[in-house]
Amino acid sequence: QVQLGESGGGLVQAGGSLRLSCAASGRTFSSFHMAWFRQAPGKEREIVAAISLSGGVTYYAASVKGRFKISRDNAKNTVHLQMNSLKPEDTADYYCAAGRASLSSIWYRYECDYWGQGTQVTVSS
């Protein structure tokens, strides 16, 4: 069992930055690929970024590539999402998720085993 808890959301002006963190319980964190998803009001959940077990492989959605960076610290059971040059369209609830499936399964089929409760990000224009 893994419990995930996100933090770091808030209100920021367009062009600003936020760093989201996700802390995981348990001793098997390094056994999970990790991902960040987001869901804007009235829209479907979408994957934003994903990172492999060791952090050596990362995926980004086209809409955030070059602005967001996902990283993980297996010693501290944490995964981060550094978000720069934020835009109003980045406004959403952001969720971290953990999955044992392959990174591509997580990316294309959202096959995650555990989800956090989410943290809200609001970007004002």
Side-chain angles (χ1 to χ4, degrees), residues 33-76:
H33 302 292
M34 298 298 296
W36 285 95
F37 292 77
R38 68 185 180 187
Q39 187 166 18
K43 295 189 177 181
E44 294 186 353
R45 187 172 293 190
E46 63 173 348
I47 192 164
V48 173
I51 190 165
S52 61
L53 302 178
S54 65
V57 178
T58 55
Y59 292 173
Y60 294 95
S63 58
V64 307
K65 196 168 187 178
R67 300 187 298 121
F68 290 12
K69 182 177 180 181
I70 188 171
S71 62
R72 67 187 296 164
D73 185 338
N74 287 344
K76 296 182 179 180

Side-chain angles (χ1 to χ4, degrees), residues 6-10 12 16-22 36 69-73 76 78-84 86 119 121:
E6 302 93 336
S7 62
V12 64
S17 298
L18 281 175
R19 187 182 191 226
L20 304 184
S21 297
C22 174
W36 285 95
K69 182 177 180 181
I70 188 171
S71 62
R72 67 187 296 164
D73 185 338
K76 296 182 179 180
T78 56
V79 60
H80 302 285
L81 185 67
Q82 177 66 42
M83 306 187 296
N84 299 325
L86 282 161
T119 186
V121 172

Side-chain angles (χ1 to χ4, degrees), residues 1-4 22 24 28-37 47 49-54 70 72 74 79 95-107 109-116:
Q1 185 78 9
V2 174
Q3 292 185 324
L4 303 173
C22 174
T28 60
F29 178 74
S30 59
S31 300
F32 291 90
H33 302 292
M34 298 298 296
W36 285 95
F37 292 77
I47 192 164
I51 190 165
S52 61
L53 302 178
S54 65
I70 188 171
R72 67 187 296 164
N74 287 344
V79 60
Y95 302 86
C96 70
R100 288 194 179 94
S102 66
L103 196 60
S104 59
S105 295
I106 292 172
W107 187 257
R109 295 192 290 274
Y110 295 7
E111 290 182 3
C112 296
D113 299 290
Y114 302 101
W115 295 83

